């Protein structure tokens, strides 16, 4: 059994739901798993207490939440000593034409943080018009129009979820297998320096 942390940032809750689903898969596989919203993390969060760490973020206006970028950047030393994964939730990942854009968001994230996760998962997000205020709704209609030109019926309708839960579960199972394999041959060091923002 491994002790695993899934830490994430979310705007309207879709990445939180994805994090919970990933954690449920880990739990089913017998791992002791915690999920944590980055904004609720304790000041003394000790990453070295976890055998593996997953970091999740969503894309808003072309980038991941700055709290997650800062977290990955300031903890990359400790992250690099254990199995890690990054998952990203976006509208871009919901369509064939948007996939390259979603991959570009990840490349930019890696460039900014200099953290190189072992596994990367890209998942479609959700349109939550019922949760957006006037300006956000306007902005999202434009983003949906741009990113989802092959699904024009979705530009102005109500809440729609694009997350493929089978993909999320398959990703979690793959990461779990990777963690098992890595920890079978090497245990994480315990003397690294850890910082936080
Ligand atoms: C204000 C706003 C801006 C967004 N900008 C983008 C964007 O630039 N590219 C994209 O692919 N998705 C964009 N999205 C879609 C989100 O990534 C998607 O709704 C996702 O499900 C949000 O996850 P969250 O609820 O965990 O924040 C945006 C969503 C909002 C609300």
């Amino acid at each position: 059994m491994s002790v695993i942390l899934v830490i994430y940032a979310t705007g309207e809750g879709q990445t939180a739901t994805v994090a919970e689903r990933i954690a449920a898969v880990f739990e089913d596989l017998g791992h002791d798993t915690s999920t944590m919203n980055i904004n609720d993390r304790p000041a003394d969060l000790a990453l070295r207490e976890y055998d593996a760490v997953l970091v999740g973020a969503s894309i808003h206006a072309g980038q991941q939440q700055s709290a997650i970028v800062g977290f990955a950047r300031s903890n990359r030393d400790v992250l690099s000593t254990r199995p890690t994964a990054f998952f990203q939730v976006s509208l871009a990942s919901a369509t064939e034409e948007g996939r390259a854009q979603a991959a570009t968001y990840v490349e930019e994230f890696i460039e900014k943080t200099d953290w190189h996760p072992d596994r990367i998962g890209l998942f479609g997000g959700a349109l939550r018009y019922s949760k957006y205020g006037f300006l956000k709704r306007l902005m999202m209609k434009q983003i949906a129009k741009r990113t989802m030109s092959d699904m024009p019926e979705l530009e102005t309708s109500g809440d729609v979820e694009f997350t493929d839960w089978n993909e999320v579960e398959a990703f979690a199972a793959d990461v779990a297998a990777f963690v098992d394999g890595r920890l079978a041959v090497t245990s994480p060091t315990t003397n690294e320096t850890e910082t936080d923002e």
Side-chain angles (χ1 to χ4, degrees):
M1 182 204 70
S2 302
V3 182
I4 299 178
L5 174 67
V6 184
I7 187 163
Y8 63 87
T10 187
E12 286 78 37
Q14 195 66 14
T15 311
T17 310
V18 170
E20 294 296 342
R21 183 67 69 97
I22 289 171
V25 172
F26 288 150
E27 286 284 334
D28 282 351
L29 292 169
H31 298 298
D32 178 0
T33 312
S34 308
T35 54
M36 194 182 288
N37 186 316
I38 185 99
N39 296 326
D40 300 332
R41 72 191 186 285
D44 59 351
L45 174 64
L47 286 187
R48 70 175 68 87
E49 288 174 4
Y50 297 92
D51 297 317
V53 180
L54 283 84
V55 177
S58 58
I59 294 295
H60 285 225
Q63 45 196 335
Q64 300 84 7
Q65 288 83 357
S66 57
I68 280 288
V69 174
F71 174 84
R73 189 192 291 132
S74 55
N75 290 293
R76 69 171 170 260
D77 287 349
V78 66
L79 288 170
S80 68
T81 61
R82 57 247 303 123
T84 57
F86 175 67
F87 60 96
Q88 175 183 279
V89 177
S90 71
L91 222 45
S93 281
T95 67
E96 208 51 55
E97 57 176 349
R99 293 218 167 122
Q101 182 61 58
T104 304
Y105 295 144
V106 176
E107 279 166 27
E108 288 166 358
F109 176 78
I110 290 173
E111 214 165 283
K112 278 188 262 189
T113 60
D114 199 24
W115 168 49
H116 297 263
D118 297 303
R119 290 286 188 274
I120 293 171
L122 299 176
F123 307 117
L127 283 170
R128 300 277 180 220
Y129 286 116
S130 65
K131 289 194 178 178
Y132 306 149
F134 176 75
L135 280 178
K136 208 180 250 192
R137 195 174 310 135
L138 211 63
M139 184 177 167
M140 282 314 297
K141 281 180 183 173
Q142 281 168 355
I143 289 173
K145 194 173 189 165
R146 204 175 58 231
T147 6
M148 321 199 91
S149 53
D150 51 344
M151 291 189 252
E153 72 280 8
L154 297 174
E155 284 167 26
T156 56
S157 49
D159 292 5
V160 198
E161 187 177 79
F162 302 98
T163 313
D164 182 333
W165 296 106
N166 290 330
E167 270 182 23
V168 172
E169 289 179 359
F171 169 76
D174 174 59
V175 173
F178 175 74
V179 170
D180 288 347
R182 267 282 283 279
L183 297 178
V185 283
T186 159
S187 351
T189 55
T190 51
N191 60 349
E192 62 277 70
T193 314
E194 182 186 331
T195 52
D196 204 354
E197 284 197 342

